[in-house]
Structure formats: structure tokens, C-alpha cells
Amino acid sequence: MNHNANYPPSFLLLQQEGYLISSCLALGLTELRVANVHNKGAFYSSLLNISVGMERLMKAIIIMQYMLNNGLLAPTKNQLKNYGHNIIELYDECVKISISNKGELPNRRSLNNTNQKLLELLSDFAQTTRYHNLDALSTQQAGKDPLEHWGEIMLLILEQDVIPFSKIKDINMVK
């Protein structure tokens, strides 16, 4: 990587990470928008990109906070690795950072049920269920099928957020 003399390498590395995070989230949301029962691969691609993007975003926040508190020194690879792929724990850590900086990121318990379920889905997918199909082949199935999990969240959204007339139309489209 070429280092611009006007910026420290840490800035440029975080900038590059930002590009990756942005791309993962944008691709994930685009794939989710085109996913349907005839294009199930788009659901998997969406979950993969969104979970990776969210994990990397929250780790970048943790790194920047660490750097602010430690004379711009970055945490070690092992310190960062200790967070693993647990998006729920990363979110909770970002809430702590938000509080310490007088931010307004709501704690997990104050999120609505749908947002809590989405965090659970992304965290499960990042940690274990991204391999659900392969694990099921070897009878080492761990966790809920991510598409079933997504379907439960969609039904929750339909029940809570969609007006009754639209529900009938949307349910007929799913079948």
C-alpha cells in the first residue's frame, strides 16, 4: 500500500477498512432486496455480507476507541481476536463506547423485538450457521437454519408492521 505522507498509515488502513465495510453492507442489502423463494442464494449472500460488514464495522469502532485511549496505538491482533465473530457482544461493546462518548446507540434490551432478532440472526450466522448446510450434511448441525430464522423474522415484521390489507397481499406473494 502506498502511504501518503500527509496521513499516518493507521488512517489509510482504517480508510481502506471503511471501503470494505461499506461494500459488504451495500452488497448485503442489495442481495436482500432481490432475494426471494426462487433466489435463495441471495439470502445467503446477503446474510454473509451483512454479518461480515457489521462485524468489521463494530471492530473498527472498537479499534478507534482503543486508539483514542492509548496514544493512537492499535490493539494487538489477539486483543481483537478475543471478540471473535459474536455480533451481539460486539454490539454491546459499541454501546459501552457510545455511552462513554455521550452517544445515543441504544442498548440491546431497549431495541424492539425485530431488531433484537436481527442481531441474533446475524450473530448466529457469523459464528455458526453460515455453515449450516455443510454441517447438516455431516450431522454436526449447529444452530437454526438461517433461512428458517430469516422467515421467522419476516413473519414477525408482517405481524407487527404491515397493515392488514397489505399482509394478505404479501403472504400470497411468499407462497
Side-chain angles (χ1 to χ4, degrees), residues 17-37:
E17 187 64 19
Y19 295 143
L20 176 58
I21 292 165
S22 174
S23 291
C24 284
L25 294 173
L27 285 169
L29 293 171
T30 298
E31 284 293 297
L32 183 58
R33 192 174 66 244
V34 300
N36 60 58
V37 295

Side-chain angles (χ1 to χ4, degrees), residues 2-12 15:
N2 292 333
H3 295 289
N4 185 324
N6 297 325
Y7 299 100
S10 58
F11 172 83
L12 296 172
Q15 182 183 50

Side-chain angles (χ1 to χ4, degrees), residues 8 19 28 77 80 92 103 105 107 112 127 133 150 163 169 174:
Y19 295 143
K77 183 176 180 177
L80 204 54
D92 290 344
L105 185 63
N107 71 49
N112 68 30
Q127 293 177 85
N133 299 319
W150 176 250
I163 61 172
K169 180 182 169 190
V174 172

Side-chain angles (χ1 to χ4, degrees), residues 11-82:
F11 172 83
L12 296 172
L13 290 167
L14 286 167
Q15 182 183 50
Q16 293 294 96
E17 187 64 19
Y19 295 143
L20 176 58
I21 292 165
S22 174
S23 291
C24 284
L25 294 173
L27 285 169
L29 293 171
T30 298
E31 284 293 297
L32 183 58
R33 192 174 66 244
V34 300
N36 60 58
V37 295
H38 303 293
N39 184 9
K40 291 180 181 177
F43 284 113
Y44 290 110
S45 179
S46 175
L47 289 171
L48 181 65
N49 279 293
I50 293 172
S51 65
V52 168
M54 291 296 293
E55 177 183 335
R56 293 182 85 104
L57 173 63
M58 291 184 279
K59 285 183 177 178
I61 291 167
I62 291 166
I63 289 169
M64 289 184 280
Q65 182 66 34
Y66 185 93
M67 291 175 74
L68 281 171
N69 294 336
N70 293 281
L72 298 182
L73 294 174
T76 66
K77 183 176 180 177
N78 282 338
Q79 286 173 306
L80 204 54
K81 215 173 179 182
N82 286 336

Side-chain angles (χ1 to χ4, degrees), residues 51-158:
S51 65
V52 168
M54 291 296 293
E55 177 183 335
R56 293 182 85 104
L57 173 63
M58 291 184 279
K59 285 183 177 178
I61 291 167
I62 291 166
I63 289 169
M64 289 184 280
Q65 182 66 34
Y66 185 93
M67 291 175 74
L68 281 171
N69 294 336
N70 293 281
L72 298 182
L73 294 174
T76 66
K77 183 176 180 177
N78 282 338
Q79 286 173 306
L80 204 54
K81 215 173 179 182
N82 286 336
Y83 288 101
H85 303 292
N86 190 323
I87 290 176
I88 290 173
E89 287 182 8
L90 288 165
Y91 182 85
D92 290 344
E93 188 64 28
C94 287
V95 168
K96 291 177 192 172
I97 291 169
S98 176
I99 291 168
S100 72
N101 289 290
K102 298 178 177 51
E104 297 182 16
L105 185 63
N107 71 49
R108 195 165 24 99
R109 286 162 198 73
S110 66
L111 295 174
N112 68 30
N113 195 29
T114 302
N115 288 332
Q116 287 182 28
K117 298 285 185 195
L118 285 169
L119 268 179
E120 289 171 16
L121 169 63
L122 292 172
S123 195
D124 288 348
F125 193 82
Q127 293 177 85
T128 57
T129 63
R130 63 184 164 178
Y131 295 106
H132 173 80
N133 299 319
L134 298 175
D135 290 344
L137 283 171
S138 63
T139 66
Q140 298 291 322
Q141 186 172 349
K144 189 184 294 186
D145 179 327
L147 294 187
E148 285 181 29
H149 199 163
W150 176 250
E152 291 169 7
I153 293 170
M154 289 304 303
L155 287 175
L156 180 65
I157 291 169
L158 283 171

